[in-house]
Amino acid sequence: MSNNLKQIFILGAGSSISHDNSFPSINDFFPKGKEVNLEIKKDFPELYKYIFENFGIDVTSAENKVNIEKVFTILEIGIERSNDPSLQIIRSQILKLIQLLLGRITSRVKADEGDLNQFAKKLGESDTVITFNWDITLDDLIGRKNILKWIYEHDKFDSRELQKNCYWNFIYKLSVHGENTSDGLELTPPYSEWNNKNGYFLKMHGSTDWAFCSNELCKAHGKGFIVKEIEQELYCSSCHEPVYPLIVPPVLNKQYRKYHLIRRVWNTALKEIESSKELIIWGYSLPETDFYSAWLFRNARQTIKRLTLINPSVIKGKKEKKINNAFVNHFVNIFKGKLKKDSIILYENFKDYMIDVNVHGKYGINS
């Protein structure tokens, strides 16, 4: 992770779990609720009933697990095909569940310890982070709190150090907050070549601290605001209606064009991917149904020279360790015919990546 050579990092849920095991996998959201004082049946009754009726699962039972992304996706499809207002109530409840659960876990973990802390320290000024996570653990580690303090409280401290940061570039080049600055009020001419010297912090599926106004008649409609406190009930300052968490599921038909901020994030990620020579993918499993992400990665085919995977799933076997080709090939097949075998580097975990001990050297695997 050099400060001189631009790198593209792609993070999935495994990176947060690697930092602290308190974070849930996509199958553990509902059991984790009890740990942060959330009672699913009582606090989210319509959501509880929806899951029971559509999946036959009582989520109050610890052994009954359900994939929250699957629930979210099926719900979104139902909303697209129906005007049933009860589905919108269920949607608001699943958004609030995700926001409260991840927010409370984030507030409890020791952010200055763990893998994400080491990752944040090593990020270079021009490095870009593309993350599919909803939590704000990494956001806080790379300057979120101070930057929001600068925005909301008009602090007079020197912001020059904050500006050497991919999160600053996200706020002031992509979010609505940048539109309120003198630079953001002026449109620059169209460009012919992408300037990839900047680093960006790109949350592809939204974030627990992003809020948007759903009123289609409001001038703030669809725009994402970054908020300081995620458990507060907030209202749009323009139309005074409630604002909701801007979180989207990895559905087959992503409606990222619906949200101004999500659209900007995906378009920026595309430009960064198109110019990348190496992708470093940490804790992301590339679900088979997430065709949009696979499409995004394929745009690196013309420039990529190296692929690095950091994930316990790259190996299998208890006594004799072997490469888990079923997992690795999900990624390798995207770059088939473009990458040589020795250009695909596999690490079992982030600590091994930091000391450059890949699985071949660690376990003496020859192929």
Side-chain angles (χ1 to χ4, degrees):
M1 282 183 255
S2 166
N3 285 332
N4 298 316
L5 181 64
K6 182 183 182 70
Q7 297 185 92
I8 309 292
F9 296 94
I10 298 168
L11 275 54
S15 61
S16 290
I17 295 171
S18 171
H19 180 79
D20 191 295
N21 284 325
S22 299
F23 284 100
S25 70
I26 56 175
N27 296 310
D28 291 327
F29 261 76
F30 296 100
K32 284 281 185 180
K34 291 183 178 179
E35 298 179 16
V36 293
N37 301 318
L38 292 175
E39 297 183 33
I40 306 301
K41 191 173 183 178
K42 177 183 176 182
D43 299 333
F44 310 96
E46 287 81 9
L47 175 60
Y48 168 84
K49 183 179 179 182
Y50 175 83
I51 295 173
F52 187 78
E53 291 181 347
N54 289 274
F55 295 85
I57 294 175
D58 177 0
V59 294
T60 61
S61 178
E63 62 270 14
N64 289 341
K65 296 184 178 182
V66 61
N67 185 318
I68 194 168
E69 290 184 351
K70 187 175 182 180
V71 173
F72 204 170
T73 298
I74 296 299
L75 177 61
E76 287 289 290
I77 294 172
I79 290 173
E80 287 179 9
R81 298 180 58 84
S82 171
N83 293 321
D84 186 351
S86 67
L87 294 181
Q88 293 292 348
I89 294 173
I90 297 166
R91 188 181 193 277
S92 67
Q93 289 188 1
I94 199 170
L95 289 175
K96 199 63 181 178
L97 169 65
I98 292 170
Q99 185 185 56
L100 290 177
L101 177 65
L102 293 179
R104 291 180 184 182
I105 290 176
T106 300
S107 67
R108 293 181 179 192
V109 302
K110 295 181 179 179
D112 57 350
E113 299 177 7
D115 291 346
L116 286 176
N117 184 51
Q118 295 302 312
F119 175 75
K121 288 180 178 178
K122 295 296 183 179
L123 274 178
E125 290 181 26
S126 64
D127 292 339
T128 283
V129 177
I130 297 173
T131 174
F132 294 92
N133 296 336
W134 292 318
D135 69 90
I136 60 171
T137 309
L138 180 57
D139 313 41
D140 284 344
L141 287 168
I142 58 175
R144 171 186 171 273
K145 288 182 178 178
N146 282 336
I147 292 172
L148 292 185
K149 189 176 181 181
W150 172 267
I151 293 171
Y152 284 102
E153 300 177 21
H154 305 290
D155 267 42
K156 303 302 181 183
F157 59 79
D158 192 339
S159 68
R160 283 176 293 184
E161 282 303 312
L162 295 178
Q163 295 178 32
K164 301 175 182 179
N165 186 291
C166 61
Y167 193 87
W168 178 277
N169 288 336
F170 155 68
I171 288 287
Y172 282 102
K173 295 181 184 295
L174 300 180
S175 83
V176 68
H177 300 286
E179 296 178 15
N180 296 327
T181 66
S182 56
D183 290 337
L185 292 173
E186 296 181 3
L187 289 176
T188 57
Y191 63 88
S192 58
E193 294 184 9
W194 176 248
N195 176 7
N196 67 350
K197 293 181 181 179
N198 294 314
Y200 293 93
F201 187 66
L202 307 171
K203 303 192 79 169
M204 309 301 284
H205 292 159
S207 181
T208 57
D209 67 334
W210 293 7
F212 80 102
C213 176
S214 61
N215 179 4
E216 295 182 0
L217 300 178
C218 178
K219 65 180 181 181
H221 171 66
K223 294 188 175 182
F225 294 84
I226 319 304
V227 301
K228 292 194 300 179
E229 302 295 336
I230 64 176
E231 289 206 25
Q232 287 182 336
E233 295 293 332
L234 299 172
Y235 300 86
C236 176
S237 59
S238 180
C239 70
H240 310 294
E241 293 191 6
V243 294
Y244 299 95
L246 180 43
I247 294 172
V248 297
V251 294
L252 295 176
N253 179 26
K254 266 189 221 304
Q255 294 184 340
Y256 72 91
R257 290 179 178 271
K258 179 180 178 182
Y259 306 104
H260 182 71
L261 180 54
I262 295 289
R263 185 170 181 170
R264 276 187 165 184
V265 163
W266 273 83
N267 287 341
T268 305
L270 174 61
K271 290 299 181 182
E272 290 288 271
I273 289 284
E274 285 178 337
S275 61
S276 61
K277 291 182 170 57
E278 177 183 10
L279 296 182
I280 303 163
I281 303 176
W282 176 22
Y284 182 65
S285 299
L286 189 60
E288 292 184 6
T289 55
D290 196 350
F291 295 112
Y292 268 71
S293 298
W295 165 81
L296 185 71
F297 298 158
R298 286 184 187 278
N299 284 278
R301 281 180 57 85
Q302 303 308 314
T303 56
I304 193 169
K305 303 296 181 185
R306 179 182 170 108
L307 174 66
T308 296
L309 299 180
I310 308 169
N311 201 308
S313 296
V314 299
I315 60 168
K316 64 179 181 178
K318 293 183 178 180
K319 292 184 178 180
E320 182 182 356
K321 300 294 185 181
K322 297 180 180 180
I323 301 299
N324 185 358
N325 289 315
F327 175 82
V328 174
N329 286 342
H330 281 308
F331 298 93
V332 172
N333 289 339
I334 290 176
F335 305 105
K336 191 173 183 179
K338 292 293 183 179
L339 280 176
K340 297 179 180 178
K341 192 173 183 179
D342 60 0
S343 298
I344 303 167
I345 316 300
L346 309 176
Y347 296 94
E348 187 177 13
N349 54 58
F350 184 74
K351 292 179 177 62
D352 288 350
Y353 169 72
M354 289 292 288
I355 59 175
D356 195 19
V357 177
N358 62 48
V359 297
H360 292 87
K362 185 176 182 177
Y363 296 111
I365 300 173
N366 295 320
S367 61

